[in-house]
Amino acid sequence: MDVAHSGVLEVGIPVACRSCQARHGVVCGVLSSGQLKDLGRHSLRRKVDAGCEIIAQGSESSFYSNIMRGVVKLCKVMPDGRQQIVGLQFAPDFVGRPYVRESTLSAEAATDAEICVFPRNLIDRMISETPELQRSLHDQALKELDAAREWMLTLGRRTAEEKVASLLDLIATHAEPQTATSTAFDLPLSRAEIADFLGLTIETVSRQMTRLRKSRIIRIENFRHIVVPDMDELERMIGA
Amino acid sequence: MDVAHSGVLEVGIPVACRSCQARHGVVCGVLSSGQLKDLGRHSLRRKVDAGCEIIAQGSESSFYSNIMRGVVKLCKVMPDGRQQIVGLQFAPDFVGRPYVRESTLSAEAATDAEICVFPRNLIDRMISETPELQRSLHDQALKELDAAREWMLTLGRRTAEEKVASLLDLIATHAEPQTATSTAFDLPLSRAEIADFLGLTIETVSRQMTRLRKSRIIRIENFRHIVVPDMDELERMIGA
DNA sequence: GGGAAACTTTGATCTGGATCAAAGCGCGGT
DNA sequence: ACCGCGCTTTGATCCAGATCAAAGTTTCCC
């Protein structure tokens, strides 16, 4: 709020960073202004369309990314084509696997997105020199682990209807909070992607969505846009 | 191997640590001998029987643990009793959730086990003072995340038979390596626990085990003891 | 060392979600 | 504005795995 004060702090940081969604995120939020400047010089802001692959499964990537806008899906594919989405990442998350170059999963823009691409070895060096960054990435990794384990419960033990409700809850929670109990948002995923996230088929996802619609728990406008009049109601469907 | 050399390194470290499985693990392996001594003074070696709960879901724990021997299962339970095992930990893994006191899961000894219990705030202090420890725990967290995501694929997209094969492969991989291709091991989990890990019922687990036995991929001796004559054969069942 | 409880296997049947099939719907391109 | 393709919904049928039921093993407690 205080212009003079923020001026002092922001002096010398890259112009592109000043209004960046991820400026105070996991990586950039803990760097010194010198480091931020250094990183800014070597990073590349990139717009990617929905469907664009950022990291390929099985490939070695020499980059990490920060999500500035949009949603990224993390995906695993079996040789026979079966597919499972194993995580969603939202701005301002960090995308990449420190310490292991070869990726065991693909990262793909689920919506149109903007990402900030960092050279791997620069970040690696900063991690080893900056305990605050190490700690921050450790923290994100642990949060992702919590989320992954919560999702394992969903995949292993919830019914199709509970699964779909869980997904809507997850998206609603990450979309900006709306009024006290009601929420509206655009789904960042197609029905096929939802199916791959929930371990279901397209048809089952569609049927369960219309079930939720008919029981007035959600309204569906234009396939992608969802209104949840009462989040508590939705959460009651999840059964935990 | 060199007694004099190892003597120099090991001088002053706690007696109990000298032959400990976890001595060179994620935590103790990166501490200075001074820190190890300090930690040794404040830690408690404890034998726990199979089934003993180490951390309760929803509780606040003021301890972390190291597994010295045995297997620990990480478990989530829904209010209606449905249950999902979300991870297995083996010696010398670290058990606990840095940065968040309240546990979202329970940790329970799956077999008789020995653990080394550390006071939470001592470890927290060491983490903040020791980048090597931070890095080591970060690394374990990322490995657990990789494993969790791999298991999400198993839960969401594999058939019952593939799931059981995946579990046997997981256990076989963590049991000590045997001859080139063949392996034998004791299952650390009951059929009910296997079901809760795979998102199946006891009956389905049992049926798939006898299927694998009848197709000569495994031999079952005394329910818990499994022989895999050819690990490649088993891995072919997993379909990825 | 006997007996009971707990665990495991096996069998019969049922069902939630998959698969197969065919319309709706909406959007982008010409 | 129209056409065509891709996405979504809806319907009919099927089947992998759940549920219900019962018998066989093992462990271990007295």
Side-chain angles (χ1 to χ4, degrees):
Chain A
M1 290 304 118
D2 181 343
V3 174
H5 176 237
S6 106
V8 169
L9 284 176
E10 302 291 33
V11 132
I13 73 158
V15 175
C17 295
R18 290 190 193 160
S19 62
C20 174
Q21 278 278 337
R23 167 69 185 86
H24 299 285
V26 169
V27 173
C28 304
V30 299
L31 297 182
S32 69
S33 63
Q35 287 176 310
L36 197 58
K37 228 165 105 183
D38 191 13
L39 187 57
R41 256 200 308 278
H42 297 281
S43 65
L44 176 67
R45 279 141 298 271
R46 192 151 82 89
K47 289 197 190 204
V48 295
D49 290 333
C52 171
E53 191 171 67
I54 297 168
I55 302 169
Q57 185 173 352
S59 75
E60 301 212 344
S61 166
S62 46
F63 298 98
Y64 297 116
S65 311
N66 245 0
I67 304 174
M68 300 164 67
R69 185 176 58 78
V71 179
V72 170
K73 61 178 182 172
L74 306 179
C75 199
K76 279 179 167 281
V77 190
M78 290 170 66
D80 63 8
R82 281 178 286 176
Q83 197 161 341
Q84 176 71 43
I85 294 180
V86 298
L88 288 186
Q89 313 232 253
F90 300 81
D93 287 346
F94 173 84
V95 179
R97 173 57 163 96
Y99 313 135
V100 176
R101 266 179 176 275
E102 187 179 330
S103 181
T104 59
L105 44 77
S106 71
E108 189 175 311
T111 62
D112 292 347
E114 286 175 68
I115 61 177
C116 190
V117 180
F118 309 127
R120 191 173 175 103
N121 37 35
L122 177 54
I123 293 284
D124 287 345
R125 186 160 53 71
M126 284 183 176
I127 291 174
S128 66
E129 289 169 354
T130 318
E132 239 341 289
L133 179 58
Q134 173 92 251
R135 141 88 206 226
S136 180
L137 288 170
H138 185 196
D139 194 57
Q140 179 181 320
L142 288 166
K143 283 176 181 159
E144 286 179 38
L145 184 56
D146 289 344
R149 285 172 170 164
E150 182 61 37
W151 209 251
M152 286 173 68
L153 177 63
T154 298
L155 288 174
R157 290 303 185 196
R158 292 205 234 257
T159 65
E161 184 171 36
E162 291 170 334
K163 283 180 177 184
V164 171
S166 299
L167 178 98
L168 295 175
D169 185 60
L170 178 75
I171 305 291
T173 303
H174 284 265
E176 293 310 298
Q178 312 284 114
T179 66
T181 63
S182 122
T183 309
F185 53 90
D186 280 310
L187 283 174
L189 302 178
S190 69
R191 298 294 187 267
E193 289 169 319
I194 293 172
D196 283 339
F197 197 18
L198 294 171
L200 297 172
T201 59
I202 294 180
E203 295 94 326
T204 299
V205 170
S206 178
R207 276 185 249 273
Q208 298 304 331
M209 298 261 294
T210 78
R211 246 168 83 86
L212 290 173
R213 176 168 55 72
K214 284 180 179 163
S215 60
R216 310 267 170 201
I217 291 170
I218 59 172
R219 286 205 311 278
I220 305 177
E221 295 165 3
N222 276 329
F223 300 126
R224 286 287 187 127
H225 191 78
I226 305 289
V227 179
V228 184
D230 183 355
M231 284 297 291
D232 296 344
E233 195 85 22
L234 181 66
E235 269 152 29
R236 221 166 296 125
M237 291 302 311
I238 298 172
Chain B
M1 290 302 120
D2 181 343
V3 175
H5 175 238
S6 106
V8 169
L9 284 175
E10 302 291 33
V11 131
I13 74 158
V15 175
C17 297
R18 289 188 194 164
S19 62
C20 174
Q21 278 278 337
R23 167 69 184 87
H24 299 285
V26 169
V27 174
C28 303
V30 299
L31 297 181
S32 69
S33 64
Q35 288 175 310
L36 197 58
K37 230 166 105 181
D38 191 13
L39 187 57
R41 256 200 308 278
H42 296 281
S43 66
L44 176 67
R45 277 140 301 269
R46 192 150 82 89
K47 290 196 190 208
V48 296
D49 290 333
C52 172
E53 191 171 65
I54 297 167
I55 302 169
Q57 183 173 352
S59 75
E60 300 213 347
S61 166
S62 46
F63 297 97
Y64 297 116
S65 310
N66 246 0
I67 305 173
M68 301 164 67
R69 186 176 57 78
V71 179
V72 170
K73 60 177 182 174
L74 307 179
C75 200
K76 279 179 167 281
V77 190
M78 290 169 65
D80 63 9
R82 281 177 287 175
Q83 198 163 340
Q84 176 70 45
I85 294 180
V86 297
L88 288 186
Q89 313 231 250
F90 300 82
D93 286 346
F94 173 82
V95 179
R97 172 55 164 97
Y99 314 134
V100 175
R101 269 179 176 274
E102 186 177 331
S103 181
T104 59
L105 44 77
S106 71
E108 189 175 312
T111 62
D112 292 346
E114 286 175 68
I115 59 178
C116 190
V117 180
F118 309 126
R120 188 170 178 104
N121 37 32
L122 177 55
I123 293 284
D124 286 344
R125 186 160 53 72
M126 285 182 174
I127 292 175
S128 65
E129 290 169 353
T130 318
E132 238 342 286
L133 179 57
Q134 173 91 251
R135 140 89 208 225
S136 180
L137 288 169
H138 186 195
D139 194 58
Q140 180 180 317
L142 287 167
K143 283 176 180 157
E144 286 179 39
L145 184 56
D146 289 344
R149 286 172 168 164
E150 182 60 37
W151 209 251
M152 286 172 68
L153 178 62
T154 299
L155 288 173
R157 290 304 185 196
R158 290 204 235 257
T159 65
E161 185 172 36
E162 290 169 335
K163 284 180 176 183
V164 171
S166 299
L167 177 97
L168 295 174
D169 185 60
L170 178 75
I171 305 292
T173 303
H174 284 265
E176 295 308 300
Q178 312 284 116
T179 65
T181 63
S182 123
T183 308
F185 53 89
D186 280 310
L187 283 175
L189 302 178
S190 70
R191 298 295 186 264
E193 289 169 319
I194 293 173
D196 282 338
F197 198 16
L198 294 172
L200 298 172
T201 58
I202 295 181
E203 295 93 327
T204 299
V205 169
S206 179
R207 276 186 250 273
Q208 298 303 332
M209 298 262 294
T210 78
R211 246 167 85 84
L212 290 172
R213 176 167 55 70
K214 284 181 179 164
S215 60
R216 310 271 170 198
I217 291 170
I218 61 172
R219 287 207 310 278
I220 304 178
E221 294 163 4
N222 276 330
F223 300 126
R224 287 288 187 125
H225 191 77
I226 305 289
V227 179
V228 184
D230 182 353
M231 282 297 290
D232 296 342
E233 195 85 24
L234 181 66
E235 270 153 30
R236 220 165 297 125
M237 292 300 311
I238 298 172

